[in-house]
Amino acid sequence: MVTKTFWSQIANQAKKEKRPFFSMAPMEAVSNTVFRQVIAHASAPDIFFSEFVYAKGITDPTTKFPVDGRLYIDSREKTYPVVQLWGDVPEDFENGALALKDKGFKAIDINTGCPDKTVIKNHGGTFLIRNPEKIDGIVTAAKNSGLAVSIKTRLGYSKLTEYKEWIPHLLNQHVELLTVHLRTKMEMSKVPAHFEVIDDLIKMRDEISPDTLLQINGDIPDFQAGVDLAKKHPGLDGIMIGRGVFANPFAFEKVPQEHPLNELLNLLRLQLDLFDDFSQHYDVPRFPSLKRFFKIYARPELGATDLRNEMMNAKSTDEVRQILDDFQNK
């Protein structure tokens, strides 16, 4: 039996607008408070996910995977993100979730889909696909916190056909939401997402856990593409966008618009300011981590290749601001 709370409210609000609900994917070193605010300023999804958080690290600061700023919520954020937890020890999930509840968080997500080698080596992410017996205890422990519990996964580890056993196993956990990245671990993002299995996933959900909401992830670039996909697959509840925000920070925009270079560069200025604010609270992430974002704003098709190359050689946010000043004042 699924307890309907957090996710059903989000889904029902979207249904009033005759659309699926939208979320921004959990992405390591990306979906922290800084970038969540940037995307919210551009065009916000219905809900954000946090970066990956090691479940044990929430209550044990001595772990080799410290939480650092992953749980920091800026006062300007309007909603708490869903915290995605990884690991394989049930007690860590229960203790971590209870601590999150005390901090004001409303929902947690169990990571069974991360393909990162370090995460797998430490018994998290897609390690759980190969060790499905661990899921039952983890989910039970997570539910004991009273927070909304969801799961994010992939179709399988090595073979696409693994989803026929793996997805039913997850559906039998009767969580509020199941998010499926439509690739296997081994496929990473090197092949097109397997949209051909969506209807089969919906059928499984309807037969095993009809109250569980189903969200998909993979190769969905923007809001309109998500709406169109949901229309083609009745029964699909949610759409998660990850890498799409790197191609278009306005990916969640309901009515697509043209965004000139200056608008994009001003969005970068916002990120620089938010980054500096965040750095006053935590020593991570450091300036080099910002460089991966420059390609979002200084786009080649808008004539900004040289600008991006110059920013990549910068050593500080102030230096980037000076480069932007010189470029925009020409």
Side-chain angles (χ1 to χ4, degrees), residues 11 22 81 88-89 107 115 141 144-145 158 160 198 209 213 216 242 274 307 326-327:
F22 284 81
D88 75 327
V89 179
N144 286 340
S145 68
S158 301
L160 174 61
I198 293 177
S209 185
L213 297 169
I216 61 166
L274 292 170
L307 171 64
D326 292 343
F327 180 84

Side-chain angles (χ1 to χ4, degrees), residues 138-195:
I138 291 172
V139 173
T140 298
K143 286 182 177 180
N144 286 340
S145 68
L147 295 180
V149 177
S150 59
I151 298 174
K152 185 172 186 288
T153 193
R154 285 182 174 242
L155 293 170
Y157 194 95
S158 301
K159 299 178 181 179
L160 174 61
T161 53
E162 291 174 26
Y163 85 89
K164 295 182 179 181
E165 292 186 5
W166 172 238
I167 298 301
H169 185 84
L170 295 181
L171 287 168
N172 275 310
Q173 304 305 317
H174 300 289
V175 293
E176 285 193 44
L177 168 70
L178 176 63
T179 302
V180 183
H181 181 132
L182 298 175
R183 297 182 178 92
T184 67
K185 181 271 177 189
M186 297 302 291
E187 288 174 332
M188 299 293 284
S189 295
K190 299 175 182 178
V191 303
H194 294 284
F195 293 128

Side-chain angles (χ1 to χ4, degrees), residues 19-20 198 202 205 214-216 226 229-230 233-239:
R19 62 172 178 84
I198 293 177
I202 294 171
R205 186 276 310 275
L214 181 63
Q215 178 176 230
I216 61 166
L229 195 62
H233 302 280
L236 188 61
D237 301 291
I239 301 293

Side-chain angles (χ1 to χ4, degrees), residues 196-227:
E196 71 273 13
V197 307
I198 293 177
D199 289 336
D200 203 13
L201 298 178
I202 294 171
K203 182 180 178 182
M204 289 176 176
R205 186 276 310 275
D206 291 347
E207 293 176 350
I208 298 170
S209 185
D211 288 336
T212 294
L213 297 169
L214 181 63
Q215 178 176 230
I216 61 166
N217 172 224
D219 287 353
I220 305 167
D222 54 32
F223 181 91
Q224 193 55 59
V227 170

